[in-house]
Amino acid sequence: SLGKSSVHRFLSILIKLGYIEKDQKSKKYSATLKLFEIGAMVRGRNRLVNISRPYMEELGVKFRETVNLAFLDGNEVVYVDKVESIQTLRMEFSIGRRVPAYCTALGKIFLAYLQEEDLERYFRETRFKSMTEKTITSPKELIKNLELVRKEGFAIDDRELDDGIRCIATPVRDDSGKVVAAISIAGPRTRLTMDRLKSF
């Protein structure tokens, strides 16, 4: 039901991006393997959610706090699964929620293990704004924090996104060692003191 000129414009964009190709003899369009790659990546991520779930449940039982699994999408962290805390006072982050990477423990995990050129691009593209008085908004300070994350193997969000929440996160790696996801334990600052958090 689209007009020919609109369809032609859409196809031209998809060709330029590498998702569609045009056969010069038949003049017909077909999908490229780039679409297959995206489908395989999504399927792999869904599989990762299923693999992670029992470990998340185990962490939830052991620490009695909310456990989150997230992916990096562009410059944002996306929550893809969670195990709710059994406590009455708990985090209210829904699956599918997007948050900035620079002010979350999950996000700092992804940033800490980015290639240098990707991290430079992230700094160029990101507008740092204060979410709380504890939010790191200086790229120089964040770089120091990311060095500590790489050294210790975990990241902490000490009330940087939300004044009432603390969080600790660690990377999830594939068989090549690449960080493909991050997992965190989070809860209210009243229960999650820094000492308790670090004991996790």
Side-chain angles (χ1 to χ4, degrees):
S1 62
L2 291 171
K4 280 187 178 180
S5 61
S6 294
V7 172
H8 187 266
R9 194 169 60 250
F10 295 148
L11 286 170
S12 296
I13 292 166
L14 290 169
I15 288 170
K16 196 173 183 179
L17 294 172
Y19 293 104
I20 298 286
E21 59 190 4
K22 183 178 182 182
D23 185 288
Q24 295 308 318
K25 285 183 182 173
S26 69
K27 304 293 184 199
K28 290 188 175 181
Y29 297 90
S30 61
T32 67
L33 285 175
K34 199 164 184 181
L35 286 173
F36 173 78
E37 288 172 24
I38 291 170
M41 188 170 66
V42 170
R43 195 174 68 214
R45 285 182 169 184
N46 289 342
R47 191 166 160 263
L48 180 59
V49 171
N50 294 335
I51 291 168
S52 302
R53 187 71 190 186
Y55 298 101
M56 293 172 66
E57 289 171 353
E58 189 179 323
L59 289 169
V61 168
K62 184 173 181 178
F63 297 111
R64 300 168 55 87
E65 298 295 351
T66 300
V67 181
N68 300 291
L69 180 70
F71 296 137
L72 185 67
D73 186 34
N75 291 338
E76 295 177 307
V77 171
V78 181
Y79 290 84
V80 293
D81 198 14
K82 76 171 178 174
V83 172
E84 290 276 10
S85 169
I86 58 168
Q87 314 262 18
T88 49
L89 182 62
R90 57 188 176 215
M91 281 182 46
E92 290 302 322
F93 283 176
S94 56
I95 293 170
R97 180 176 178 186
R98 291 175 168 270
V99 293
Y102 65 90
C103 58
T104 61
L106 290 161
K108 287 191 240 178
I109 288 296
F110 293 114
L111 296 178
Y113 295 101
L114 281 179
Q115 297 291 325
E116 195 173 334
E117 61 272 16
D118 293 327
L119 187 59
E120 286 170 7
R121 179 195 49 76
Y122 175 82
F123 282 121
R124 280 194 311 273
E125 294 175 358
T126 302
R127 263 188 63 236
F128 293 87
K129 65 176 192 177
S130 272
M131 304 296 187
T132 72
E133 62 179 28
K134 299 208 67 166
T135 307
I136 299 171
T137 55
S138 154
K140 198 173 181 180
E141 193 181 336
L142 183 58
I143 286 168
K144 269 173 51 179
N145 193 276
L146 298 178
E147 286 169 2
L148 188 64
V149 170
R150 283 189 292 274
K151 184 179 166 192
E152 293 182 334
F154 63 88
I156 286 179
D157 160 9
D158 180 17
R159 301 166 26 228
E160 294 165 50
L161 176 65
D162 182 309
D163 195 48
I165 294 171
R166 285 194 178 103
C167 182
I168 188 166
T170 191
V172 177
R173 299 174 187 274
D174 66 11
D175 54 2
S176 73
K178 182 183 173 191
V179 175
V180 292
I183 198 164
S184 73
I185 302 169
R189 65 190 268 192
T190 50
R191 281 200 309 267
L192 284 189
T193 62
M194 286 299 286
D195 284 346
R196 182 170 180 240
L197 200 68
K198 286 185 175 178
S199 77
F200 290 177

